[in-house]
Amino acid sequence: MAVSVDGLFAQFSSVLEEENKYREEIKVVTKEIESLARTLQSTIQLTHLRGADIPVICAKCTQVYPQIAQLFTKLKSFLKPEVYFKYRDHWKQSISNLVFVACFVHWLQYNTLLSIPEVEALFGLSWTYPANVTPSATPSNPPVGTFCVELEDYLFGLTFIPSELSRLCVNSVINEDFTLPLRISSFLNNLYGGFRLLNLKNDALRKRYDSIKYDVKKVEEVVYDLTIRGLLKKEAKETEMTPAP
């Protein structure tokens, strides 16, 4: 049965209105996520202040994680799996920013790097396969349309860490903490070595990776200065002389 031009475009108009309404619902939630991500990024800047209490700052950040998890749960409750890839650009950048904050904070607390599943668990992005689907051998290969931290988003988040740590390295010396630069240097060299194993095809990601070497060099210069001034030996000696609690 033939449809008139007016009738056809009336259908198009109805579909577009529904899509716009759906998109606005998504934007309302993702804007809240973006706002909390910016709050976290502002909070970690406090680590650079003189006399900063880093454990307290880290704890303040982790208290925000459940709020973000609730927002992602809300988003998952009405987002249809078949349109996941159509709208995922609304939250991709936020996920990279959250990966950066979570990994930065976790490293300060535990001196280790969070994995993708660990980041997903923090922000309510963990996924499970349906009962009738055999799990994949690859943890980063979730069912289609399932909320997750995609590998590229995770790697982008990691590339933000070196610049923040190189800045913290300098500020820790100002705060007379001469052991933190050594920790930072060791971690950044390992992180940079890990990225060198990857054959990156994404131009934007490769540019971010290329900038890491400058942060590594900056940290190495700080460690070198501390070494030739004998401050690292002095710090080690004072640590040995400090009585155990």
Side-chain angles (χ1 to χ4, degrees), residues 22-23 26-27 30 33-34 72 75 79-96 125 140 142-154 156 202:
Y22 196 56
R23 187 178 286 107
I26 293 171
K27 283 183 178 180
T30 55
I33 294 172
E34 289 171 7
F72 274 117
L75 194 57
L79 188 74
K80 302 171 186 175
E82 60 268 23
V83 296
Y84 172 87
F85 290 101
K86 181 176 181 179
Y87 296 107
R88 65 175 177 164
D89 285 344
H90 287 286
W91 59 81
K92 275 179 67 69
Q93 184 59 50
S94 291
I95 286 183
S96 290
L125 294 169
S140 57
V144 175
T146 304
F147 267 87
C148 64
V149 175
E150 296 177 37
L151 180 57
E152 278 197 356
D153 298 337
Y154 177 75
F156 266 115
N202 183 308

Side-chain angles (χ1 to χ4, degrees), residues 8-167:
L8 188 62
F9 276 83
Q11 293 176 15
F12 293 162
S13 178
S14 177
V15 170
L16 290 174
E17 285 179 11
E18 283 297 317
E19 284 195 356
N20 288 335
K21 182 181 178 182
Y22 196 56
R23 187 178 286 107
E24 287 304 315
E25 289 180 10
I26 293 171
K27 283 183 178 180
V28 168
V29 181
T30 55
K31 282 181 179 179
E32 290 185 64
I33 294 172
E34 289 171 7
S35 177
L36 289 175
R38 287 195 297 270
T39 298
L40 287 172
Q41 288 177 296
S42 297
T43 302
I44 64 174
Q45 297 307 306
L46 299 175
T47 59
H48 301 292
L49 299 178
R50 187 172 181 83
D53 191 333
I54 290 181
V56 171
I57 295 169
C58 290
K60 188 176 180 181
C61 287
T62 57
Q63 290 171 2
V64 181
Y65 296 169
Q67 298 177 48
I68 296 172
Q70 288 176 2
L71 289 171
F72 274 117
T73 299
K74 182 179 179 180
L75 194 57
K76 287 188 289 184
S77 69
F78 66 82
L79 188 74
K80 302 171 186 175
E82 60 268 23
V83 296
Y84 172 87
F85 290 101
K86 181 176 181 179
Y87 296 107
R88 65 175 177 164
D89 285 344
H90 287 286
W91 59 81
K92 275 179 67 69
Q93 184 59 50
S94 291
I95 286 183
S96 290
N97 292 336
L98 292 172
V99 167
F100 156 56
V101 171
C103 289
F104 178 77
V105 168
H106 188 83
W107 183 84
L108 289 175
Q109 291 177 309
Y110 306 107
N111 208 37
T112 58
L113 182 65
L114 285 173
S115 65
I116 291 178
E118 288 172 328
V119 175
E120 289 175 334
L122 286 177
F123 299 115
L125 294 169
S126 300
W127 48 267
T128 55
Y129 280 100
N132 61 339
V133 176
T134 303
S136 167
T138 307
S140 57
N141 183 29
V144 175
T146 304
F147 267 87
C148 64
V149 175
E150 296 177 37
L151 180 57
E152 278 197 356
D153 298 337
Y154 177 75
L155 293 176
F156 266 115
L158 295 188
T159 62
F160 300 142
I161 296 175
S163 61
E164 202 68 36
L165 283 180
S166 65
R167 182 184 169 201

